[in-house]
Structures are given as C-alpha cells and as structure tokens.
Amino acid sequence: SLPVDAIKVASDKHPKPSDVRYQYGTAGFRTLGKLLDSVLFRVGILAALRSKRLDGKTIGVMVTASHNPEPDNGVKLVDPRGEMLEASWEAHATTLSNASTTDAFIEALETLVQTAKIDLSKPARVVYARDTRPSGPSLVNALEDGFKAIGAEARDAGVTTTPILHYFVRAINTKGTPYSYGEDSEEGYFTKLGQALKKLVAGRPPVSPLLIDCANGVGAIAAKTLAAHLGDTLPIVLENTAITTEGALNNACGADFVKTSQKLPPSLSNVLKPGQRACSLDGDADRLIYFYLDERGSFHMLDGDKIAGLVAAFIVEQVKIAGLEEQVKVGVVQTAYANGASTKYLQERLPVKCVPTGVKHLHHAAERYDVGVYFEANGHGTVLFSDDTQATLRDYQPSTPAQSRALENLVSLTELINQTVGDALSDMLLVETVLSHKSYTGVEWDSLYVDLPNRLVKVVVSDRNSFKTEDAERRLVSPPGLQSKIDGLVNRYQGGRSFVRPSGTEDVVRVYAEANIRTQADELAFRVAGLVY
Ligand code: 16G
Ligand code: ZN
C-alpha cells in the first residue's frame, strides 16, 4: 500500500496555493516558478507511480520552462523510451496537482493506484535534471521530497539540457540490451555525437567557425563541452553564455526570440560577420534556429521548416545512392505553422503529413514512416529511424563504393541524431553535416525555396477553451460561424492562408497568416485577429 503517513507529513510542507488551477499541457506544467512548489512535490510521487506501473522502468523528470521568461518554470515527465509522457497520464498529473488539501491529494493518489492498476510492490526509479533558472534548486528540493516520501530510487542528473535528460532515460532503460542507446552519462552522450560527426565529415574540407547564441541558458554549458569534444572537426564560437546573470535567460536572444521577432539578437550585432553561419538555442536547448547576415548586412532566418527541407532532401538522396529506395521510405511531419513554401517544396519530393501542434503529435506521426523527419517551424524537431529500418541498414550488403559510403552515412546519422526528442545540439551537427556534404553556405541553403511572408499574433480572449479546431488545427469548428468569416477574408488575399487555435501553453488564442506579400500577410493576420477578439 501507499506510505500514507510519510506522504502526509511531507505533503503538509508543500501546500497547494488555494487560488491557482494547474494544467499539464503541451509542455508539462508551466507557470511562475514561485507557484510550483506543491506541483513539483506531487510530480515526484507521480513519476514514481508511473515507474511502478511500468515495472520499475526509469522515468525522467525535467524541471524547465524552456524559452519562457526567467521567472517562469515548469516540469515534465519523460517515458521510458525517452519520449513525452503518455497522453492518458497527463490528466492524472492535472488531477493530482489540483487536489486542494493533503487529504484530497492522498485520496486522488489512492484512486489513481486503483484505476491505473499500479502494483505498489514494484520498484520506482527516476532520473531528474533542471535548467539554469534561479527557481530551479528549490523546486528540485520539493521534487526530491516527493521521491523520498514514496521511497523512489532517484538519480540526480544535475543541471543539463532537456534532450540530454531524454537521452539518459533511453540509455538507462536500454542498458545491457541489444538496443543499447549509449552510455548513460554526459560523457557518453557527447562521445556518441562527436564520433558520429567525425565519421560523417571525414575527408571533407574544413569549415569556418559556427557562432552559437546559447540564450544565456543551460545550452551554454552543454555547447562548451560539445565544442571540446569536436575540436577542429567543427570550430565553434559561443555567445550569450551568461548563465548566472540575473534576468539574462532568453532575454532578447535565443531561438524563440529570433523566430518570433524575425530579428538578429541585438547582443550579436557587433559580433556576427556577414556570411558567417550562426544559430540560436532556446533556454533548455531543444530548439534550434539558424541565421546569417548577407553582404548588405540584412538578416536572414533559417527556421525549423528550412531545417526539415535541408535534412529530408539529404536523407532521401543518401537512401537513393545507397540503393535502398524500395526498402526505406522517408516522410516528413509538419504542423499548420509550417510555411506554405516549405510544404510545397517538401511535397514535391516526399510524403508530408500535417498534425496538431505539440511534440507528441509530431513524434507519433513520424514513427509511422521508415524514416520520419519532423520539425516544427519554431525549430523543435528530430528524425526517427524505425527499428526495422535500423535492422535493414545493419544487414544491407552494398555493391559499389558509392553505395557503401551512403550506407555508412545513414548509419552514422542514426548515431548523430537524438531520436528521443528534438535536440538543438544534435540537430545543429546534423545541419552542419548536410551543409558540409552539399558545400552549401547559408545563402545556398536559404535559396532552396523562398519563405512566404507570414505573421503570428496572439489575442487575449475571455475563454480560449471555446475555440475548438479540426483538420490538424487548420479549421475552427467553434465558435460557430467564425471559420466561414475567416475563409471569406483569406479568399481576398493572393496566396492567403490563415488559421486560429488556442495556445496550449499560454492563456491566449494564436492567429497565423501568410500571403504572397509582406503587407498583405500582416493585414490578413490583424483582420483575422479582429474577428477573434
Ligand atoms: C511547446 C512545445 C512545442 C509547441 C509549443 C506550442 C515541447 C517540447 N514544446 O513549446 O512543441 O510548438 O509548446 O505552444 O513540447 P502553444 O500551444 O502555446 O502555441
Ligand atoms: Zn525548449
């Protein structure tokens, strides 16, 4: 049975604030760090129960609020294969977090143990980490109180990136099996990535230094270690590495700033040279956006869609050269936010699927392909190689040197890519690999297709839950009548496309619009926003 007494004593030290309602959303729990103490304590217990339910497999817990402002924090659970928590447990997390008293919490736990058929005699194992936010240490203490109260075997992974924590979870759970994902240590992670990159670019000409905007977050620590592992293979210059400066995290820098403002972080204006490749990580290093300045000093952004285009085309090419076209089918997954020009570019080359926003939707859709490439426009994404495909690559007998090289490249890609979740550093090495193979500069990569001008605006409404969507969020079914008004507006704009959806992370409704020319995209966005308001 549950150690009710221990849980009671500990729970009383982490009371739920009476005026807050929590929700486990697209990115786990996320709000002001100072409101999360009770949530972290309860998540500690929930993670242990999830582990027991899965026969003692290790569950991950990541304390981060990603690209959000520094005072925010959050927490999310990672399932045994390194993936996002199974959807049905999101509701359990929400229920537990909202129990108003210790007694109500214990009651909710007992209900969960019964409905989810949890065998309490099973062991509970967890691994946890946090990003660099100032509220992190005390929230981790609350989490540890939860682990202790239920008697979980807990491993502290310290301060690290979200994707490294996902890697750890998979590595721990596959240790000693034929599917081993690598050493369950940071050293193991960096060695795996470094060796794969070296194989992929062996014999290719040296490249000029890549500038990395680390968002003044945990990515700065990881990127520094990575740079040391890469040596001359990839020269790296780190910027925005002030992880202890109060207020610096994600402030006017990082992947979300670059993507939403479509601007160079001001801190880089005297550093970045025209033509130099640069990229931004977000606050937990699971998003990546590239950019460069042209000869005239104008800013050009290469977002998640551009990364998908570059990477998918390269993989298709390598599969073809290897002579594996028939056995290995490559597909791409996007969301409605993908630029229309990217969708067109990709559809001319391979199957493309559109799914609702959120990593879990993209990840699951990508699992249906032999090789599934998924990227959100915001720079979050990865590539999944199915177990069958990995076996095909292992067993295949190439008949020419060219086939053999392409096969080796594909195998190295399975090592280079963090297949558990989007990983800015792993994705960055992937991009660098393709640029090296194609001898592309940023300009050449950028010219694969021309982005349609687009605008994203947010609208504060009285009840965002009254907005319901269908067709992968591209159409509204509620409020009634609104979609036909949007259609009416869209039809008046050349190349017009627009959609409205409730945010899963903020109390707002988002409006996206694109059109053939900038002023029209802006006008369409603001007129649709006017309908919503
Ligand atoms: C989170 C998600 C991201 C999604 C975004 C949508 C993860 C790691 N990230 O950042 O995939 O695009 O939320 O936010 O799950 P929204 O619903 O507020 O537009
Ligand atoms: Zn992130």
Side-chain angles (χ1 to χ4, degrees):
S1 65
L2 282 168
V4 171
D5 292 338
I7 295 177
K8 270 190 178 155
V9 172
S11 172
D12 283 341
K13 288 193 227 143
H14 301 283
K16 177 188 175 289
S18 57
D19 51 350
V20 190
R21 193 181 146 77
Y22 301 105
Q23 193 181 345
Y24 194 101
T26 330
F29 291 108
R30 199 173 283 186
T31 182
L32 281 173
K34 63 179 184 207
L35 297 178
L36 281 167
D37 183 80
S38 62
V39 172
L40 268 285
F41 170 73
R42 293 171 185 199
V43 163
I45 294 179
L46 179 71
L49 291 177
R50 177 84 184 138
S51 172
K52 285 177 185 284
R53 179 67 184 84
L54 300 175
D55 222 8
K57 290 219 173 60
T58 297
I59 296 295
V61 183
M62 184 69 203
V63 180
T64 179
S66 185
H67 58 279
N68 285 21
E70 190 168 293
D72 285 5
N73 216 324
V75 61
K76 55 187 164 188
L77 298 188
V78 180
D79 262 356
R81 283 173 53 83
E83 295 159 2
M84 301 289 168
L85 176 68
E86 182 190 292
S88 65
W89 275 60
E90 293 180 358
H92 301 325
T94 300
T95 305
L96 290 185
S97 68
N98 287 307
S100 56
T101 59
T102 290
D103 286 342
F105 174 53
I106 304 267
E107 218 180 288
L109 282 175
E110 276 166 346
T111 309
L112 172 60
V113 169
Q114 285 195 353
T115 53
K117 300 197 177 59
I118 298 168
D119 179 352
L120 292 168
S121 68
K122 293 283 161 97
R125 299 191 181 93
V126 292
V127 57
Y128 59 102
R130 64 174 175 91
D131 68 14
T132 55
R133 277 161 216 275
S135 58
S138 87
L139 290 176
V140 161
N141 285 340
L143 180 70
E144 289 168 337
D145 280 356
F147 296 150
K148 277 180 220 141
I150 194 165
E153 202 183 295
R155 171 170 155 188
D156 184 358
V159 176
T160 197
T161 72
T162 295
I164 291 179
L165 194 264
H166 284 252
Y167 166 90
F168 281 164
V169 172
R170 176 109 154 227
I172 292 168
N173 286 311
T174 55
K175 209 172 181 164
T177 75
Y179 305 101
S180 168
Y181 199 60
E183 287 278 336
D184 58 333
S185 64
E186 289 214 346
E187 183 58 30
Y189 167 89
F190 288 112
T191 305
K192 183 178 176 184
L193 265 56
Q195 285 178 348
L197 181 75
K198 282 179 191 154
K199 281 193 220 155
L200 280 158
V201 301
R204 306 210 59 85
V207 290
S208 58
L210 168 68
L211 186 149
I212 309 179
D213 158 22
C214 301
N216 295 314
V218 66
I221 305 171
K224 192 171 170 200
T225 314
L226 179 67
H229 276 78
L230 298 179
D232 294 338
T233 312
L234 177 63
I236 284 172
V237 179
L238 299 180
E239 294 294 337
N240 294 329
T241 58
I243 56 174
T244 55
T245 305
E246 201 181 315
L249 177 67
N250 297 325
N251 189 4
C253 62
D256 196 62
F257 171 86
V258 173
K259 174 66 185 165
T260 33
S261 64
Q262 308 186 17
K263 276 198 207 106
L264 180 72
S267 49
L268 301 183
S269 56
N270 293 322
V271 191
L272 188 63
K273 299 189 243 3
Q276 186 180 10
R277 300 181 322 296
C279 61
S280 287
L281 319 177
D282 74 337
D284 63 341
D286 65 351
R287 290 192 194 179
L288 177 72
I289 301 284
Y290 264 71
F291 50 88
Y292 66 92
L293 300 175
D294 64 22
E295 294 308 322
R296 303 205 318 263
S298 299
F299 173 79
H300 297 265
M301 176 175 73
L302 296 143
D303 65 0
D305 298 337
K306 283 267 154 107
I307 297 174
L310 181 77
V311 166
F314 179 69
I315 294 176
V316 166
E317 180 191 270
Q318 295 297 309
V319 166
K320 196 169 169 187
I321 299 173
L324 283 163
E325 248 177 320
E326 290 308 312
Q327 289 104 302
V328 178
K329 301 287 181 206
V330 186
V332 178
V333 187
Q334 300 186 309
T335 73
Y337 289 113
N339 194 279
S342 82
T343 308
K344 183 164 172 287
Y345 172 84
L346 286 163
Q347 275 171 344
E348 285 161 2
R349 287 160 180 82
L350 68 175
V352 179
K353 192 168 163 38
C354 182
V355 300
T357 305
V359 175
K360 59 177 183 242
H361 299 293
L362 289 126
H363 196 93
H364 289 139
E367 281 176 328
R368 299 175 162 271
Y369 295 115
D370 298 332
V371 180
V373 179
Y374 73 81
F375 274 91
E376 293 188 281
N378 65 26
H380 186 107
T382 185
V383 182
L384 305 181
F385 295 81
S386 72
D387 288 346
D388 284 354
T389 300
Q390 303 211 38
T392 304
L393 296 178
R394 239 187 345 263
D395 300 341
Y396 183 63
Q397 301 290 336
S399 40
T400 66
Q403 285 193 347
S404 163
R405 266 195 309 277
L407 179 67
E408 278 166 25
N409 288 340
L410 289 166
V411 171
S412 296
L413 287 178
T414 67
E415 302 272 313
L416 182 75
I417 296 167
N418 185 343
Q419 296 183 50
T420 62
V421 77
D423 181 334
L425 294 176
S426 159
D427 290 340
M428 179 186 89
L429 301 185
L430 174 59
V431 167
E432 291 295 313
T433 296
V434 184
L435 295 180
S436 161
H437 274 256
K438 309 296 290 180
S439 307
Y440 281 169
T441 62
V443 183
E444 286 151 326
W445 171 18
D446 202 15
S447 63
L448 293 181
Y449 62 84
V450 180
D451 272 324
L452 284 172
N454 58 88
R455 183 64 61 200
L456 183 61
V457 292
K458 48 181 167 182
V459 186
V460 180
V461 295
S462 56
D463 179 17
R464 75 175 149 135
N465 292 315
S466 70
F467 289 78
K468 301 248 184 314
T469 62
E470 61 177 6
D471 188 24
E473 303 180 321
R474 288 173 291 193
R475 299 187 62 79
L476 279 176
V477 287
S478 153
L482 191 48
Q483 185 59 49
S484 57
K485 289 190 190 146
I486 297 172
D487 292 342
L489 269 179
V490 166
N491 286 336
R492 291 192 232 153
Y493 293 82
Q494 286 250 317
R497 183 170 75 93
S498 179
F499 64 91
V500 174
R501 59 173 279 278
S503 159
T505 64
E506 277 182 87
D507 201 6
V508 297
V509 163
R510 299 199 198 282
V511 175
Y512 176 90
E514 63 187 28
N516 286 351
I517 51 177
R518 164 92 279 151
T519 50
Q520 300 263 292
D522 290 345
E523 191 183 298
L524 179 57
F526 287 103
R527 292 183 71 176
V528 172
L531 292 176
V532 168
Y533 185 66

